[in-house]
Amino acid sequence: MKIELVTAVVALIVSISGTLINALQLDIQRRKLKDDRRQWERAVERGITQAIFQETSIKLYEARLREYASVWPLLKITARYEWRRLGGDQLAKNSHQDAVESVQKMADDLTNIAYDSVGLLMSEESRTHLTSLRRCCGAFKKNKMTFEELAGQAHWFKHSLRADLHIPSKSVENEEFKKYTETISELLQSDRN
């Protein structure tokens, strides 16, 4: 009877141990599934967020492309040929009235742009350059700035708008083109040998 009792106790301990081990394994699997589900949900969330960001970026780019087209012609007077045509000189006091009025018109138009939808679409850098250009127009009219300085600020404003549209600067284009042509030349040379 003692052996039967010991056998029964051992069987009971093995059974309880097996049940506990099974329960622990089920709990581990449940936690793993829960963690896997959380990771999957985060991945889906990241994917959705990325898709929304990409869609928003595309929409912003398209809106900028459409709206910036109206800004570009306003800066025409900062081109040297146009400035000379208007009778412009280095300072407002020596410039023809048409040139000075054109600077004032550009300043007024830039102010309208700053408070229009175009201003909302601009990057922070472009808004900073826009504000600086507007200030430069006033400084030019007060003979506190030369046309060269005004044109220089317009230049930076134009480049910031181009950067908003991801249009590379000429130097970048030239470097990329140079690398491309060097690679093609090397490839052609290796084919000849």
Side-chain angles (χ1 to χ4, degrees):
M1 183 133 160
K2 274 189 162 185
I3 292 182
E4 292 173 349
L5 185 60
V6 171
T7 305
V9 170
V10 169
L12 182 61
I13 291 173
V14 169
S15 177
I16 291 173
S17 298
T19 304
L20 287 175
I21 290 172
N22 283 339
L24 285 173
Q25 286 177 338
L26 287 173
D27 187 54
I28 290 170
Q29 286 177 348
R30 185 183 55 79
R31 287 182 188 194
K32 187 178 180 330
L33 287 173
K34 193 174 182 181
D35 287 344
D36 288 348
R37 181 176 174 92
R38 274 193 218 131
Q39 287 177 359
W40 180 82
E41 287 171 351
R42 284 187 206 127
V44 169
E45 190 176 289
R46 280 192 304 271
I48 291 170
T49 302
Q50 185 178 10
I52 290 170
F53 178 76
Q54 286 174 342
E55 182 68 23
T56 304
S57 296
I58 290 169
K59 295 291 184 192
L60 177 62
Y61 178 83
E62 290 170 347
R64 281 177 174 170
L65 190 59
R66 209 175 26 257
E67 296 292 330
Y68 283 9
S70 66
V71 178
W72 213 255
L74 303 177
L75 305 173
K76 182 179 178 182
I77 68 161
T78 61
R80 292 192 202 305
Y81 72 89
E82 184 66 15
W83 188 244
R84 284 189 209 109
R85 188 186 70 74
L86 292 169
D89 201 348
Q90 282 296 91
L91 294 172
K93 66 182 178 183
N94 299 327
S95 295
H96 189 273
Q97 187 63 29
D98 288 345
V100 177
E101 287 174 4
S102 293
V103 170
Q104 181 59 52
K105 181 175 179 344
M106 181 175 73
D108 294 341
D109 290 340
L110 292 173
T111 299
N112 291 337
I113 283 170
Y115 294 100
D116 198 358
S117 61
V118 181
L120 286 172
L121 295 172
M122 286 182 189
S123 67
E124 190 63 34
E125 183 177 352
S126 290
R127 280 193 294 275
T128 300
H129 286 296
L130 172 65
T131 302
S132 295
L133 182 55
R134 289 171 48 221
R135 284 187 187 134
C136 288
C137 289
F140 176 80
K141 285 191 66 188
K142 293 175 185 174
N143 292 307
K144 294 182 179 180
M145 178 174 278
T146 66
F147 171 74
E148 293 298 322
E149 293 167 318
L150 176 68
Q153 184 56 50
H155 171 82
W156 288 113
F157 178 54
K158 288 187 277 187
H159 277 283
S160 68
L161 294 176
R162 287 172 55 93
D164 285 354
L165 295 172
H166 307 289
I167 299 171
S169 67
K170 189 173 184 178
S171 61
V172 171
E173 289 172 352
N174 286 342
E175 287 301 314
E176 290 299 317
F177 184 72
K178 187 191 260 184
K179 288 178 189 173
Y180 173 76
T181 54
E182 287 172 359
T183 304
I184 295 297
S185 295
E186 288 174 14
L187 198 75
L188 291 173
Q189 290 296 330
S190 66
D191 284 348
R192 289 181 188 160
N193 295 333

